[in-house]
């Protein structure tokens, strides 16, 4: 999502505005007409792209979970193709990818926290399944970098780091964040510090 360089499609524009509005005012606080107005089409025109708000919410939350997992797999494949990149560099790459999400797709973090339970059971289970796979990719890399760290402790550290990185929507007061590059660097240092601390305690 945030890494695309080509022009977004109308469907992607609708999803982006829906995510922003849902995050700002809640799923039930936003009407189809408002989402349509945000992208310059009538509310009923949205139904050419989505069956309704529920379908938008499902695509947003399933879509970001798929995107994070796909991105992590790509980074691991690139590391393998580079002749076995050091685990430290692989972990840095995973952290960078998640930081991009945390800084560029903050409405989706808010949406996930508030609205995940509104998904149909099948969609919610799919989100959880994708998230578990994403976590396990990280756990494998962390365990390679810190071989003395037990797998359960590595998993806890991964979840803790996700909590840290995904806290960005709460840092919205003016001046609460440095520029994007400075924020990314700070989050990266804190994430690596968290993993190092977990390993030191093992």
């Amino acid at each position: 999502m945030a890494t695309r360089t080509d022009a977004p499609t109308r469907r992607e524009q609708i999803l982006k505005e829906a995510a922003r509005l849902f995050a700002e005012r809640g799923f039930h606080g936003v009407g189809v007409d408002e989402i349509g107005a945000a992208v310059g089409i009538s509310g009923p025109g949205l139904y050419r792209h989505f069956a309704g708000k529920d379908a938008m919410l499902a695509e947003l939350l399933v879509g970001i979970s798929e995107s994070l997992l796909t991105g992590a797999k790509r980074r691991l494949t690139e590391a393998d193709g580079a002749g076995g990149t050091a685990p430290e560099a692989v972990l840095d790459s995973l952290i960078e990818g998640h930081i991009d999400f945390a800084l560029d797709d903050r409405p989706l973090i808010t949406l996930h926290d508030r609205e995940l339970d509104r998904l149909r059971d099948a969609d919610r289970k799919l989100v959880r399944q994708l998230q578990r796979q994403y976590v396990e990719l990280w756990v494998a890399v962390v365990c390679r970098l810190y071989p003395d760290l037990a797998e359960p402790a590595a998993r806890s550290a991964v979840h803790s780091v996700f909590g840290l990185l995904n806290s960005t929507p709460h840092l919205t007061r003016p001046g609460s964040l440095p520029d994007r590059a400075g924020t990314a660097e700070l989050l990266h240092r804190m994430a690596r510090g968290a993993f190092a601390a977990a390993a030191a305690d093992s």
Side-chain angles (χ1 to χ4, degrees):
M1 301 181 82
T3 59
R4 289 179 60 95
T5 56
D6 51 332
T9 66
R10 175 51 60 90
R11 187 180 182 87
E12 290 168 334
Q13 291 172 342
I14 292 169
L15 287 173
K16 180 178 179 180
E17 290 305 315
R20 179 182 65 81
L21 290 168
F22 292 159
E24 288 177 356
R25 289 159 41 200
F27 181 74
H28 287 305
V30 179
V32 171
D33 288 342
E34 295 169 278
I35 299 171
V39 295
I41 62 177
S42 67
L46 288 180
Y47 292 107
R48 292 197 297 270
H49 302 276
F50 296 96
K53 289 199 306 177
D54 288 338
M56 294 180 207
L57 181 64
E59 186 155 336
L60 284 165
L61 295 182
V62 173
I64 192 55
S65 296
E66 289 175 335
S67 179
L68 285 169
L69 179 59
T70 298
K73 287 180 176 179
R74 174 180 51 78
R75 289 170 183 270
L76 293 178
T77 298
E78 289 171 352
D80 289 340
T85 305
E88 184 172 3
V90 178
L91 181 58
D92 283 337
S93 180
L94 289 177
I95 293 171
E96 288 165 7
H98 199 99
I99 287 173
D100 284 342
F101 158 66
L103 293 179
D104 297 336
D105 290 310
R106 283 184 277 176
L108 289 176
I109 298 174
T110 300
L111 200 59
H112 178 278
D113 289 345
R114 292 180 183 169
E115 312 290 357
L116 180 64
D117 287 343
R118 297 191 190 280
L119 293 183
R120 297 180 308 163
D121 286 346
D123 289 326
R124 188 169 58 253
K125 288 177 181 177
L126 177 56
V127 169
R128 294 301 193 194
Q129 178 185 11
L130 293 166
Q131 290 174 338
R132 283 193 296 270
Q133 292 178 48
Y134 182 60
V135 168
E136 293 310 309
L137 288 179
W138 280 67
V139 169
V141 172
V142 171
C143 286
R144 277 179 20 222
L145 180 57
Y146 301 106
D148 293 334
L149 184 62
E151 190 173 290
R155 190 170 293 107
S156 294
V158 168
H159 282 292
S160 296
V161 167
F162 288 170
L164 164 69
L165 300 182
N166 291 347
S167 68
T168 54
H170 306 292
L171 304 175
T172 56
R173 295 190 309 277
S176 61
L177 289 173
D179 59 42
R180 190 191 188 287
T183 301
E185 181 181 354
L186 174 62
L187 290 172
H188 199 123
R189 288 201 312 270
M190 293 175 71
R192 285 301 304 270
F195 286 124
D201 289 339
S202 61

